[in-house]
mmCIF file of all heavy atoms in Angstrom:
data_model
loop_
_atom_site.group_PDB
_atom_site.id
_atom_site.type_symbol
_atom_site.label_atom_id
_atom_site.label_comp_id
_atom_site.label_asym_id
_atom_site.label_seq_id
_atom_site.Cartn_x
_atom_site.Cartn_y
_atom_site.Cartn_z
ATOM 1 N N ALA P 5 56.206 147.271 168.234
ATOM 2 C CA ALA P 5 56.673 146.106 167.498
ATOM 3 C C ALA P 5 56.227 144.805 168.140
ATOM 4 O O ALA P 5 56.338 143.752 167.538
ATOM 5 C CB ALA P 5 58.183 146.131 167.418
ATOM 6 N N ARG P 11 57.912 138.291 158.934
ATOM 7 C CA ARG P 11 57.685 138.647 157.537
ATOM 8 C C ARG P 11 58.571 137.762 156.662
ATOM 9 O O ARG P 11 59.773 137.653 156.868
ATOM 10 C CB ARG P 11 58.027 140.120 157.309
ATOM 11 C CG ARG P 11 57.720 140.591 155.918
ATOM 12 C CD ARG P 11 58.014 142.070 155.764
ATOM 13 N NE ARG P 11 58.024 142.443 154.350
ATOM 14 C CZ ARG P 11 56.930 142.686 153.643
ATOM 15 N NH1 ARG P 11 55.745 142.628 154.209
ATOM 16 N NH2 ARG P 11 57.017 142.999 152.358
ATOM 17 N N ARG P 43 73.829 118.118 164.168
ATOM 18 C CA ARG P 43 75.088 117.500 163.736
ATOM 19 C C ARG P 43 75.460 116.446 164.760
ATOM 20 O O ARG P 43 75.503 116.716 165.960
ATOM 21 C CB ARG P 43 76.213 118.545 163.671
ATOM 22 C CG ARG P 43 75.947 119.716 162.746
ATOM 23 C CD ARG P 43 75.986 119.319 161.283
ATOM 24 N NE ARG P 43 77.233 118.731 160.859
ATOM 25 C CZ ARG P 43 78.258 119.408 160.335
ATOM 26 N NH1 ARG P 43 78.182 120.719 160.209
ATOM 27 N NH2 ARG P 43 79.354 118.800 159.941
ATOM 28 N N ASP P 45 78.341 113.529 165.873
ATOM 29 C CA ASP P 45 79.662 112.969 165.613
ATOM 30 C C ASP P 45 79.491 111.537 165.128
ATOM 31 O O ASP P 45 78.583 110.828 165.558
ATOM 32 C CB ASP P 45 80.500 112.983 166.892
ATOM 33 C CG ASP P 45 80.875 114.407 167.277
ATOM 34 O OD1 ASP P 45 80.968 115.243 166.356
ATOM 35 O OD2 ASP P 45 81.033 114.683 168.468
ATOM 36 N N VAL P 120 67.667 127.113 163.300
ATOM 37 C CA VAL P 120 67.894 127.844 162.049
ATOM 38 C C VAL P 120 66.556 128.114 161.362
ATOM 39 O O VAL P 120 66.469 128.188 160.136
ATOM 40 C CB VAL P 120 68.844 127.075 161.105
ATOM 41 C CG1 VAL P 120 70.260 127.082 161.649
ATOM 42 C CG2 VAL P 120 68.367 125.644 160.882
ATOM 43 N N ALA P 122 64.806 130.649 160.936
ATOM 44 C CA ALA P 122 64.691 131.843 160.096
ATOM 45 C C ALA P 122 65.765 131.880 159.009
ATOM 46 O O ALA P 122 65.873 132.863 158.279
ATOM 47 C CB ALA P 122 64.786 133.099 160.960
ATOM 48 N N ALA P 123 66.551 130.806 158.908
ATOM 49 C CA ALA P 123 67.643 130.816 157.937
ATOM 50 C C ALA P 123 67.205 130.384 156.543
ATOM 51 O O ALA P 123 67.805 130.761 155.548
ATOM 52 C CB ALA P 123 68.780 129.914 158.418
ATOM 53 N N ALA P 139 64.393 121.084 135.782
ATOM 54 C CA ALA P 139 65.464 120.676 134.864
ATOM 55 C C ALA P 139 66.095 121.868 134.155
ATOM 56 O O ALA P 139 67.152 121.748 133.552
ATOM 57 C CB ALA P 139 64.930 119.683 133.834
ATOM 58 N N HIS P 140 65.459 123.030 134.245
ATOM 59 C CA HIS P 140 66.068 124.215 133.639
ATOM 60 C C HIS P 140 67.270 124.714 134.431
ATOM 61 O O HIS P 140 68.013 125.569 133.953
ATOM 62 C CB HIS P 140 65.041 125.337 133.500
ATOM 63 C CG HIS P 140 64.060 125.095 132.390
ATOM 64 N ND1 HIS P 140 64.397 125.201 131.067
ATOM 65 C CD2 HIS P 140 62.768 124.727 132.402
ATOM 66 C CE1 HIS P 140 63.356 124.919 130.311
ATOM 67 N NE2 HIS P 140 62.341 124.619 131.109
ATOM 68 N N LEU P 143 71.017 120.337 138.309
ATOM 69 C CA LEU P 143 71.912 119.388 137.642
ATOM 70 C C LEU P 143 71.659 117.945 138.060
ATOM 71 O O LEU P 143 72.225 117.034 137.482
ATOM 72 C CB LEU P 143 73.372 119.742 137.925
ATOM 73 C CG LEU P 143 73.942 120.858 137.063
ATOM 74 C CD1 LEU P 143 73.462 122.204 137.521
ATOM 75 C CD2 LEU P 143 75.449 120.815 137.042
ATOM 76 N N ASP P 145 69.765 114.388 138.440
ATOM 77 C CA ASP P 145 68.864 113.573 137.633
ATOM 78 C C ASP P 145 67.654 113.228 138.498
ATOM 79 O O ASP P 145 67.757 112.432 139.429
ATOM 80 C CB ASP P 145 69.597 112.306 137.185
ATOM 81 C CG ASP P 145 68.743 111.457 136.246
ATOM 82 O OD1 ASP P 145 67.620 111.892 135.911
ATOM 83 O OD2 ASP P 145 69.212 110.373 135.865
ATOM 84 N N HIS P 147 64.880 111.825 137.496
ATOM 85 C CA HIS P 147 64.064 110.757 136.915
ATOM 86 C C HIS P 147 63.676 109.762 138.021
ATOM 87 O O HIS P 147 64.476 109.508 138.931
ATOM 88 C CB HIS P 147 64.886 110.054 135.832
ATOM 89 C CG HIS P 147 64.096 109.070 135.036
ATOM 90 N ND1 HIS P 147 63.904 107.767 135.450
ATOM 91 C CD2 HIS P 147 63.445 109.196 133.855
ATOM 92 C CE1 HIS P 147 63.170 107.134 134.539
ATOM 93 N NE2 HIS P 147 62.884 107.972 133.558
ATOM 94 N N ARG P 149 63.779 106.802 138.200
ATOM 95 C CA ARG P 149 64.719 105.685 138.407
ATOM 96 C C ARG P 149 65.848 106.064 139.360
ATOM 97 O O ARG P 149 66.518 105.189 139.911
ATOM 98 C CB ARG P 149 65.336 105.253 137.073
ATOM 99 C CG ARG P 149 64.355 104.533 136.178
ATOM 100 C CD ARG P 149 65.051 104.010 134.941
ATOM 101 N NE ARG P 149 64.066 103.634 133.936
ATOM 102 C CZ ARG P 149 64.372 103.287 132.697
ATOM 103 N NH1 ARG P 149 65.628 103.263 132.309
ATOM 104 N NH2 ARG P 149 63.433 102.963 131.848
ATOM 105 N N GLN P 163 72.085 128.956 140.754
ATOM 106 C CA GLN P 163 73.261 129.471 141.459
ATOM 107 C C GLN P 163 73.016 129.645 142.954
ATOM 108 O O GLN P 163 73.821 130.275 143.639
ATOM 109 C CB GLN P 163 73.733 130.802 140.865
ATOM 110 C CG GLN P 163 74.056 130.718 139.378
ATOM 111 C CD GLN P 163 74.447 132.070 138.812
ATOM 112 O OE1 GLN P 163 75.469 132.623 139.181
ATOM 113 N NE2 GLN P 163 73.644 132.599 137.906
ATOM 114 N N ARG P 181 67.977 129.407 151.423
ATOM 115 C CA ARG P 181 68.349 130.460 152.376
ATOM 116 C C ARG P 181 67.530 131.707 152.100
ATOM 117 O O ARG P 181 67.296 132.068 150.950
ATOM 118 C CB ARG P 181 69.839 130.777 152.234
ATOM 119 C CG ARG P 181 70.728 129.689 152.746
ATOM 120 C CD ARG P 181 72.151 129.954 152.294
ATOM 121 N NE ARG P 181 73.104 129.163 153.052
ATOM 122 C CZ ARG P 181 74.117 129.702 153.732
ATOM 123 N NH1 ARG P 181 74.327 130.998 153.740
ATOM 124 N NH2 ARG P 181 74.941 128.925 154.389
ATOM 125 N N SER P 183 68.068 134.802 152.161
ATOM 126 C CA SER P 183 68.620 135.890 151.357
ATOM 127 C C SER P 183 68.589 135.563 149.869
ATOM 128 O O SER P 183 68.623 136.464 149.034
ATOM 129 C CB SER P 183 70.056 136.202 151.794
ATOM 130 O OG SER P 183 70.870 135.059 151.671
ATOM 131 N N TYR P 184 68.529 134.278 149.528
ATOM 132 C CA TYR P 184 68.467 133.870 148.125
ATOM 133 C C TYR P 184 67.023 133.664 147.655
ATOM 134 O O TYR P 184 66.791 133.384 146.481
ATOM 135 C CB TYR P 184 69.210 132.544 147.910
ATOM 136 C CG TYR P 184 70.709 132.637 147.939
ATOM 137 C CD1 TYR P 184 71.423 132.302 149.066
ATOM 138 C CD2 TYR P 184 71.408 133.035 146.802
ATOM 139 C CE1 TYR P 184 72.811 132.359 149.090
ATOM 140 C CE2 TYR P 184 72.799 133.093 146.814
ATOM 141 C CZ TYR P 184 73.496 132.753 147.955
ATOM 142 O OH TYR P 184 74.864 132.808 147.971
ATOM 143 N N TRP P 191 63.496 133.419 139.646
ATOM 144 C CA TRP P 191 64.046 132.493 138.653
ATOM 145 C C TRP P 191 63.023 131.396 138.315
ATOM 146 O O TRP P 191 62.816 131.058 137.156
ATOM 147 C CB TRP P 191 65.342 131.871 139.200
ATOM 148 C CG TRP P 191 66.043 130.995 138.201
ATOM 149 C CD1 TRP P 191 67.012 131.367 137.326
ATOM 150 C CD2 TRP P 191 65.805 129.600 137.975
ATOM 151 N NE1 TRP P 191 67.389 130.291 136.569
ATOM 152 C CE2 TRP P 191 66.668 129.203 136.937
ATOM 153 C CE3 TRP P 191 64.948 128.661 138.541
ATOM 154 C CZ2 TRP P 191 66.699 127.891 136.457
ATOM 155 C CZ3 TRP P 191 64.973 127.366 138.059
ATOM 156 C CH2 TRP P 191 65.842 126.988 137.031
ATOM 157 N N ASP P 194 60.211 132.681 136.164
ATOM 158 C CA ASP P 194 60.638 132.811 134.776
ATOM 159 C C ASP P 194 60.784 131.442 134.114
ATOM 160 O O ASP P 194 60.422 131.267 132.949
ATOM 161 C CB ASP P 194 61.963 133.581 134.715
ATOM 162 C CG ASP P 194 62.383 133.858 133.288
ATOM 163 O OD1 ASP P 194 61.691 134.657 132.623
ATOM 164 O OD2 ASP P 194 63.366 133.258 132.823
ATOM 165 N N ALA P 195 61.261 130.482 134.876
ATOM 166 C CA ALA P 195 61.431 129.137 134.307
ATOM 167 C C ALA P 195 60.092 128.506 133.958
ATOM 168 O O ALA P 195 60.009 127.600 133.127
ATOM 169 C CB ALA P 195 62.191 128.246 135.290
ATOM 170 N N THR P 197 57.708 129.927 132.463
ATOM 171 C CA THR P 197 57.067 130.645 131.349
ATOM 172 C C THR P 197 56.365 129.723 130.356
ATOM 173 O O THR P 197 55.251 129.993 129.930
ATOM 174 C CB THR P 197 58.136 131.491 130.616
ATOM 175 O OG1 THR P 197 58.687 132.403 131.555
ATOM 176 C CG2 THR P 197 57.526 132.259 129.458
ATOM 177 N N GLU P 198 57.025 128.634 130.003
ATOM 178 C CA GLU P 198 56.434 127.772 128.966
ATOM 179 C C GLU P 198 55.401 126.803 129.517
ATOM 180 O O GLU P 198 54.815 126.042 128.775
ATOM 181 C CB GLU P 198 57.540 126.968 128.264
ATOM 182 C CG GLU P 198 58.385 127.815 127.345
ATOM 183 C CD GLU P 198 59.279 126.977 126.428
ATOM 184 O OE1 GLU P 198 58.970 125.789 126.196
ATOM 185 O OE2 GLU P 198 60.280 127.524 125.949
ATOM 186 N N ARG W 114 63.734 134.730 123.685
ATOM 187 C CA ARG W 114 63.902 133.949 124.890
ATOM 188 C C ARG W 114 64.803 132.757 124.572
ATOM 189 O O ARG W 114 64.634 132.081 123.558
ATOM 190 C CB ARG W 114 62.527 133.478 125.374
ATOM 191 C CG ARG W 114 62.566 132.781 126.708
ATOM 192 C CD ARG W 114 61.158 132.434 127.211
ATOM 193 N NE ARG W 114 61.265 131.557 128.362
ATOM 194 C CZ ARG W 114 61.517 131.981 129.602
ATOM 195 N NH1 ARG W 114 61.635 133.268 129.838
ATOM 196 N NH2 ARG W 114 61.639 131.140 130.596
ATOM 197 N N LYS W 117 67.944 126.906 129.039
ATOM 198 C CA LYS W 117 68.838 125.758 129.175
ATOM 199 C C LYS W 117 68.086 124.631 129.858
ATOM 200 O O LYS W 117 67.193 124.883 130.663
ATOM 201 C CB LYS W 117 70.036 126.108 130.061
ATOM 202 C CG LYS W 117 70.920 127.188 129.527
ATOM 203 C CD LYS W 117 72.062 127.482 130.480
ATOM 204 C CE LYS W 117 72.790 128.722 130.002
ATOM 205 N NZ LYS W 117 73.827 129.182 130.920
ATOM 206 N N TYR W 119 68.973 120.741 131.703
ATOM 207 C CA TYR W 119 69.915 119.688 132.075
ATOM 208 C C TYR W 119 69.209 118.350 131.918
ATOM 209 O O TYR W 119 68.112 118.168 132.440
ATOM 210 C CB TYR W 119 70.393 119.887 133.516
ATOM 211 C CG TYR W 119 71.185 121.150 133.665
ATOM 212 C CD1 TYR W 119 70.564 122.356 133.969
ATOM 213 C CD2 TYR W 119 72.555 121.155 133.443
ATOM 214 C CE1 TYR W 119 71.287 123.536 134.065
ATOM 215 C CE2 TYR W 119 73.288 122.324 133.544
ATOM 216 C CZ TYR W 119 72.648 123.507 133.862
ATOM 217 O OH TYR W 119 73.380 124.673 133.946
ATOM 218 N N GLY W 144 65.468 98.815 127.556
ATOM 219 C CA GLY W 144 65.031 99.468 128.779
ATOM 220 C C GLY W 144 65.802 100.725 129.127
ATOM 221 O O GLY W 144 65.664 101.241 130.232
ATOM 222 N N ARG W 146 67.118 104.694 129.025
ATOM 223 C CA ARG W 146 66.639 106.059 128.772
ATOM 224 C C ARG W 146 67.503 106.628 127.656
ATOM 225 O O ARG W 146 68.720 106.674 127.777
ATOM 226 C CB ARG W 146 66.786 106.912 130.023
ATOM 227 C CG ARG W 146 65.888 106.479 131.154
ATOM 228 C CD ARG W 146 66.349 107.067 132.452
ATOM 229 N NE ARG W 146 66.303 108.527 132.436
ATOM 230 C CZ ARG W 146 66.924 109.283 133.329
ATOM 231 N NH1 ARG W 146 67.625 108.724 134.299
ATOM 232 N NH2 ARG W 146 66.825 110.586 133.279
ATOM 233 N N GLU W 163 60.578 106.515 127.395
ATOM 234 C CA GLU W 163 61.933 106.891 127.799
ATOM 235 C C GLU W 163 62.787 107.341 126.623
ATOM 236 O O GLU W 163 64.001 107.393 126.722
ATOM 237 C CB GLU W 163 62.601 105.720 128.528
ATOM 238 C CG GLU W 163 61.904 105.317 129.810
ATOM 239 C CD GLU W 163 61.844 106.452 130.832
ATOM 240 O OE1 GLU W 163 62.608 107.427 130.675
ATOM 241 O OE2 GLU W 163 61.020 106.375 131.756
ATOM 242 N N ARG W 187 64.363 125.886 118.186
ATOM 243 C CA ARG W 187 62.986 125.480 118.442
ATOM 244 C C ARG W 187 61.945 126.263 117.659
ATOM 245 O O ARG W 187 60.877 125.736 117.361
ATOM 246 C CB ARG W 187 62.699 125.591 119.943
ATOM 247 C CG ARG W 187 63.675 124.763 120.762
ATOM 248 C CD ARG W 187 63.472 124.976 122.237
ATOM 249 N NE ARG W 187 62.261 124.329 122.742
ATOM 250 C CZ ARG W 187 61.481 124.839 123.676
ATOM 251 N NH1 ARG W 187 61.753 126.011 124.186
ATOM 252 N NH2 ARG W 187 60.419 124.180 124.087
ATOM 253 N N ARG W 198 56.143 132.750 124.081
ATOM 254 C CA ARG W 198 56.601 132.215 125.362
ATOM 255 C C ARG W 198 57.567 131.047 125.184
ATOM 256 O O ARG W 198 58.119 130.558 126.163
ATOM 257 C CB ARG W 198 55.396 131.752 126.193
ATOM 258 C CG ARG W 198 54.494 132.920 126.585
ATOM 259 C CD ARG W 198 53.189 132.415 127.165
ATOM 260 N NE ARG W 198 53.340 131.971 128.552
ATOM 261 C CZ ARG W 198 53.258 132.786 129.590
ATOM 262 N NH1 ARG W 198 53.066 134.075 129.420
ATOM 263 N NH2 ARG W 198 53.382 132.325 130.805
ATOM 264 N N ALA W 200 60.941 129.348 124.244
ATOM 265 C CA ALA W 200 62.339 129.729 124.057
ATOM 266 C C ALA W 200 62.732 129.454 122.613
ATOM 267 O O ALA W 200 62.488 128.380 122.080
ATOM 268 C CB ALA W 200 63.236 128.965 125.016
ATOM 269 N N ARG W 479 68.886 132.161 130.151
ATOM 270 C CA ARG W 479 68.113 133.071 130.997
ATOM 271 C C ARG W 479 69.003 133.773 132.016
ATOM 272 O O ARG W 479 68.507 134.552 132.832
ATOM 273 C CB ARG W 479 66.999 132.301 131.692
ATOM 274 C CG ARG W 479 65.987 131.706 130.699
ATOM 275 C CD ARG W 479 65.148 130.628 131.379
ATOM 276 N NE ARG W 479 64.629 131.100 132.634
ATOM 277 C CZ ARG W 479 64.770 130.458 133.796
ATOM 278 N NH1 ARG W 479 65.399 129.311 133.851
ATOM 279 N NH2 ARG W 479 64.266 130.962 134.888
ATOM 280 N N LEU W 485 70.955 137.267 136.006
ATOM 281 C CA LEU W 485 72.351 136.980 135.675
ATOM 282 C C LEU W 485 73.059 136.294 136.839
ATOM 283 O O LEU W 485 73.769 135.322 136.663
ATOM 284 C CB LEU W 485 73.077 138.283 135.316
ATOM 285 C CG LEU W 485 74.574 138.157 135.077
ATOM 286 C CD1 LEU W 485 74.846 137.292 133.860
ATOM 287 C CD2 LEU W 485 75.206 139.519 134.890
ATOM 288 N N ARG W 489 71.568 138.630 146.723
ATOM 289 C CA ARG W 489 71.087 138.294 148.071
ATOM 290 C C ARG W 489 70.533 139.543 148.723
ATOM 291 O O ARG W 489 71.174 140.598 148.710
ATOM 292 C CB ARG W 489 72.230 137.704 148.905
ATOM 293 C CG ARG W 489 72.768 136.418 148.350
ATOM 294 C CD ARG W 489 73.899 135.866 149.190
ATOM 295 N NE ARG W 489 73.428 135.322 150.464
ATOM 296 C CZ ARG W 489 74.248 134.727 151.345
ATOM 297 N NH1 ARG W 489 75.543 134.644 151.093
ATOM 298 N NH2 ARG W 489 73.765 134.235 152.466
ATOM 299 N N ARG W 490 69.367 139.408 149.282
ATOM 300 C CA ARG W 490 68.672 140.559 149.886
ATOM 301 C C ARG W 490 68.539 140.340 151.378
ATOM 302 O O ARG W 490 68.269 139.239 151.838
ATOM 303 C CB ARG W 490 67.271 140.694 149.288
ATOM 304 C CG ARG W 490 67.249 141.067 147.813
ATOM 305 C CD ARG W 490 65.912 140.717 147.186
ATOM 306 N NE ARG W 490 64.783 141.276 147.918
ATOM 307 C CZ ARG W 490 63.966 142.207 147.444
ATOM 308 N NH1 ARG W 490 64.156 142.698 146.239
ATOM 309 N NH2 ARG W 490 62.948 142.647 148.155
ATOM 310 N N GLU W 509 77.731 138.493 146.773
ATOM 311 C CA GLU W 509 76.442 138.385 146.082
ATOM 312 C C GLU W 509 75.398 139.314 146.697
ATOM 313 O O GLU W 509 74.291 139.415 146.187
ATOM 314 C CB GLU W 509 75.937 136.941 146.147
ATOM 315 C CG GLU W 509 76.769 135.963 145.336
ATOM 316 C CD GLU W 509 76.292 134.534 145.501
ATOM 317 O OE1 GLU W 509 76.006 134.125 146.650
ATOM 318 O OE2 GLU W 509 76.201 133.828 144.491
ATOM 319 N N ARG W 632 81.325 121.301 166.149
ATOM 320 C CA ARG W 632 80.375 121.347 165.043
ATOM 321 C C ARG W 632 80.134 122.784 164.618
ATOM 322 O O ARG W 632 79.913 123.649 165.460
ATOM 323 C CB ARG W 632 79.043 120.717 165.471
ATOM 324 C CG ARG W 632 79.112 119.215 165.603
ATOM 325 C CD ARG W 632 79.466 118.605 164.270
ATOM 326 N NE ARG W 632 79.826 117.196 164.384
ATOM 327 C CZ ARG W 632 80.686 116.594 163.570
ATOM 328 N NH1 ARG W 632 81.305 117.285 162.649
ATOM 329 N NH2 ARG W 632 80.926 115.322 163.702
ATOM 330 N N CYS W 633 80.169 123.022 163.326
ATOM 331 C CA CYS W 633 79.980 124.369 162.797
ATOM 332 C C CYS W 633 78.669 124.432 162.010
ATOM 333 O O CYS W 633 78.383 123.544 161.204
ATOM 334 C CB CYS W 633 81.114 124.736 161.849
ATOM 335 S SG CYS W 633 82.732 124.562 162.608
ATOM 336 N N SER W 635 76.256 127.230 159.742
ATOM 337 C CA SER W 635 76.095 128.578 159.210
ATOM 338 C C SER W 635 74.784 129.165 159.719
ATOM 339 O O SER W 635 73.725 128.558 159.571
ATOM 340 C CB SER W 635 76.078 128.547 157.681
ATOM 341 O OG SER W 635 75.635 129.801 157.194
ATOM 342 N N ASP W 638 72.022 133.455 157.519
ATOM 343 C CA ASP W 638 70.673 133.846 157.110
ATOM 344 C C ASP W 638 69.668 133.787 158.250
ATOM 345 O O ASP W 638 68.545 134.254 158.119
ATOM 346 C CB ASP W 638 70.196 132.956 155.958
ATOM 347 C CG ASP W 638 70.856 133.323 154.645
ATOM 348 O OD1 ASP W 638 72.018 132.914 154.440
ATOM 349 O OD2 ASP W 638 70.221 134.029 153.844
ATOM 350 N N GLN W 639 70.081 133.187 159.358
ATOM 351 C CA GLN W 639 69.178 133.100 160.501
ATOM 352 C C GLN W 639 68.955 134.475 161.124
ATOM 353 O O GLN W 639 67.861 134.800 161.555
ATOM 354 C CB GLN W 639 69.768 132.136 161.550
ATOM 355 C CG GLN W 639 69.091 132.151 162.917
ATOM 356 C CD GLN W 639 67.705 131.519 162.895
ATOM 357 O OE1 GLN W 639 67.350 130.816 161.948
ATOM 358 N NE2 GLN W 639 66.927 131.791 163.929
ATOM 359 N N SER W 700 65.728 136.452 161.200
ATOM 360 C CA SER W 700 65.663 137.276 159.991
ATOM 361 C C SER W 700 64.247 137.725 159.668
ATOM 362 O O SER W 700 64.046 138.813 159.157
ATOM 363 C CB SER W 700 66.257 136.508 158.813
ATOM 364 O OG SER W 700 65.442 135.402 158.480
ATOM 365 N N TRP W 701 63.249 136.901 159.983
ATOM 366 C CA TRP W 701 61.895 137.302 159.611
ATOM 367 C C TRP W 701 61.399 138.476 160.449
ATOM 368 O O TRP W 701 60.360 139.045 160.162
ATOM 369 C CB TRP W 701 60.935 136.100 159.641
ATOM 370 C CG TRP W 701 60.866 135.347 160.960
ATOM 371 C CD1 TRP W 701 60.745 135.875 162.193
ATOM 372 C CD2 TRP W 701 60.902 133.929 161.124
ATOM 373 N NE1 TRP W 701 60.705 134.890 163.129
ATOM 374 C CE2 TRP W 701 60.792 133.667 162.503
ATOM 375 C CE3 TRP W 701 61.007 132.851 160.243
ATOM 376 C CZ2 TRP W 701 60.796 132.381 163.036
ATOM 377 C CZ3 TRP W 701 60.996 131.567 160.768
ATOM 378 C CH2 TRP W 701 60.908 131.331 162.161
#
Side-chain angles (χ1 to χ4, degrees):
Chain P
R11 184 177 166 81
R43 302 290 302 268
D45 290 332
V120 289
H140 286 287
L143 279 77
D145 184 3
H147 188 275
R149 288 186 195 172
Q163 303 177 66
R181 289 168 164 236
S183 58
Y184 286 99
W191 185 92
D194 185 68
T197 300
E198 287 192 22
Chain W
R114 186 175 170 81
K117 297 179 189 174
Y119 295 89
R146 293 163 62 195
E163 298 300 343
R187 303 175 73 217
R198 295 169 78 86
R479 297 163 49 233
L485 174 65
R489 297 180 72 177
R490 293 160 53 114
E509 292 176 316
R632 288 299 168 210
C633 305
S635 167
D638 285 79
Q639 168 71 16
S700 67
W701 56 47

